[in-house]
Amino acid sequence: MSAVDTSIRPRPEVDPSVDHAIQAIVAGRSTDETCNTDLAAGPWNFDARPGYGPGSSMGDVIPTGAPRQGELPVEYREASADELDERIRAAKAALGDRVVVLGHFYQREEVIRHADYVGDSYQLANAALEHPQTEAIVFCGVHFMAETADMLSRPEQAVILPNLAAGCSMADMADIDQVEEAWEQLAEVYGDMDTPDADGLVPVIPVTYMNSSAAIKGFVGRHGGIVCTSSNARTVLEWAFARGRRVLFFPDQHLGRNTAKAMGIPLEQMPMWNPRKPLGGSTEGELDDARVILWHGFCSVHRRFTVDQVDQARAEHPGVRVIVHPECPMDVVDAADESGSTDYIRRAIEGTTEPTTFAIGTEVNLVQRLAADNPQHTVFCLDPVVCPCSTMYRIHPGYLAWVLEGLVDGEVRNRIAVAQDVADPARVALERMLAAKPPEAPASDWQFAS
């Protein structure tokens, strides 16, 4: 995690703005492709519609009752980029230490330039803990991240999500009712889930990725489990195997599979749990032999990356260094040179002294920013189609200006608050996550590092 300079940076040789790239494509000034030309429009055009919005998750089915954003006032919708930039800076100056703005790596450049801290979900969870004096935490990320910040911050602190429609399709792929039902079915196979065997191990330890709802984190906390991020997934699985025979890993199958495979667990001991099928679609024998039970979920951003893209990068750029996120499918991870979290990718690029060509398999906003910030290297996204995270892209400077100016006027807008009966057990699982620190290692070493 890093503090950032909030002054406007001179435009480097590579433009860090994905929005500029999309606008150029739509206007015919670029021959590049985008997955949806609606990305050029303001996200408020989609707030009243069901769905995740244009981008990588536009094909995913959003649950009934998912949060919606109310209408953004017209003054913010019609303001120019420069005007919004100035209003955000003025509001932050007026608020001073009363507010801290956290920005996830996948946020658009026009938002991230205003963040006091930039990082991945693990780093920003720590940042929420490190600012007990602030009155408000404005989380430029997605819903589950703001929930986590609320659970880790002091009760009197307000956690604000600038656009309530910024959810996460992966997190929505495991709801609390499905997980409770899966646990009951597993108990029919394994017996009492709370009773250790002769070796002191319980049948199953639940592990949820950070990309999950507060309710899921609460479930994990109640059942002796733990939360993980892509930074510490291996450390968390080691923690879990010291306490249980098996792990139920959700919602991202790919992070679970890639991490367990790197630990030497064979694929035949990693059955998939499809919540729409009895016993998740497996037999009792398969579940009995399982070491890691993988939930049928995925990230639509990272599912876009393919082995063909890796092959093309190698053909067009001899000597290219391919680094992908462990949310990518296993065959993509296997085809790459390295796999690691968003911060691992950042440190790998920044820590390489010789000019190098990097092909990166993660969200395009981060890749474009890394290319701009590291002009000594050639950095490009493996996916040639410009297709940002649908839900991260719902955070726009217009919404950030709106919530900050509300704080200046004494109004808290879009506060995220988790009920205490959910927050208490979820906090237990989150505290276990924060204690599960991965070992420090140079970014040139292949591993799931922070």
Side-chain angles (χ1 to χ4, degrees), residues 193-228:
M193 302 288 264
D194 298 320
T195 301
D197 60 17
D199 295 324
L201 303 176
V202 296
V204 186
I205 294 288
V207 174
T208 188
Y209 193 19
M210 176 73 95
N211 301 37
S212 57
S213 69
I216 297 294
K217 294 181 176 77
F219 169 89
V220 168
R222 289 194 306 275
H223 292 282
I226 186 171
V227 179
C228 81

Side-chain angles (χ1 to χ4, degrees), residues 6-8 79-94 110 113-114 397 401 404-405:
T6 56
S7 62
I8 298 178
S80 69
D82 287 342
E83 180 184 351
L84 289 173
D85 196 76
E86 287 303 313
R87 290 177 73 160
I88 292 168
R89 294 182 192 284
K92 285 193 69 184
E110 292 76 10
R113 67 175 55 170
H114 298 291
L404 288 172
E405 290 185 341

Side-chain angles (χ1 to χ4, degrees), residues 202-382:
V202 296
V204 186
I205 294 288
V207 174
T208 188
Y209 193 19
M210 176 73 95
N211 301 37
S212 57
S213 69
I216 297 294
K217 294 181 176 77
F219 169 89
V220 168
R222 289 194 306 275
H223 292 282
I226 186 171
V227 179
C228 81
T229 73
S230 56
S231 299
N232 70 350
R234 180 169 186 148
T235 302
V236 163
L237 284 188
E238 291 168 349
W239 181 96
F241 284 131
R243 292 159 176 79
R245 288 288 173 195
R246 306 164 190 84
V247 166
L248 173 61
F249 191 97
F250 46 86
D252 182 31
Q253 58 173 294
H254 300 299
L255 177 63
R257 182 180 296 108
N258 289 323
T259 307
K261 180 172 178 277
M263 295 171 67
I265 296 173
L267 295 178
E268 57 267 24
Q269 291 186 316
M270 290 189 260
M272 181 83 72
W273 186 278
N274 186 330
R276 295 173 180 81
K277 297 181 179 180
L279 292 184
S282 296
T283 66
E284 289 194 14
E286 289 169 334
L287 292 173
D288 192 57
D289 291 338
R291 294 295 310 286
V292 178
I293 302 166
L294 301 167
W295 195 267
H296 195 272
F298 54 84
C299 170
S300 291
V301 168
H302 293 101
R303 196 173 66 159
R304 291 183 59 85
F305 299 107
T306 67
V307 174
D308 284 346
Q309 291 169 356
V310 176
D311 292 341
Q312 182 174 348
R314 296 199 192 282
E316 296 179 357
H317 303 272
V320 67
R321 185 172 166 188
V322 181
I323 311 179
V324 302
H325 195 282
E327 289 177 21
C328 292
M330 181 182 68
D331 59 349
V332 177
V333 171
D334 290 345
D337 296 308
E338 303 161 63
S339 172
S341 70
T342 48
D343 194 53
Y344 175 93
I345 294 169
R346 178 190 65 80
R347 291 190 301 111
I349 293 172
E350 293 177 356
T352 300
T353 55
E354 291 297 317
T356 302
T357 298
F358 290 92
I360 303 299
T362 195
E363 209 276 343
V364 66
N365 279 282
L366 173 61
V367 178
Q368 194 77 351
R369 193 174 306 118
L370 289 170
D373 290 344
N374 296 276
Q376 73 277 23
H377 302 310
T378 298
V379 182
F380 64 93
C381 189
L382 270 175

Side-chain angles (χ1 to χ4, degrees), residues 77-148:
R77 287 183 273 135
E78 295 185 353
S80 69
D82 287 342
E83 180 184 351
L84 289 173
D85 196 76
E86 287 303 313
R87 290 177 73 160
I88 292 168
R89 294 182 192 284
K92 285 193 69 184
L95 292 165
D97 292 339
R98 293 170 53 201
V99 67
V100 63
V101 178
L102 307 182
H104 191 274
F105 282 133
Y106 296 165
Q107 286 293 296
R108 63 174 81 203
E109 175 66 16
E110 292 76 10
V111 167
I112 214 72
R113 67 175 55 170
H114 298 291
D116 299 303
Y117 293 89
V118 179
D120 60 20
S121 55
Y122 179 83
Q123 294 166 323
L124 295 179
N126 276 292
L129 280 171
E130 292 169 0
H131 290 82
Q133 78 285 356
T134 60
E135 295 176 19
I137 298 170
V138 177
F139 210 123
C140 297
V142 294
H143 200 273
F144 73 81
M145 297 178 186
E147 285 184 329
T148 299

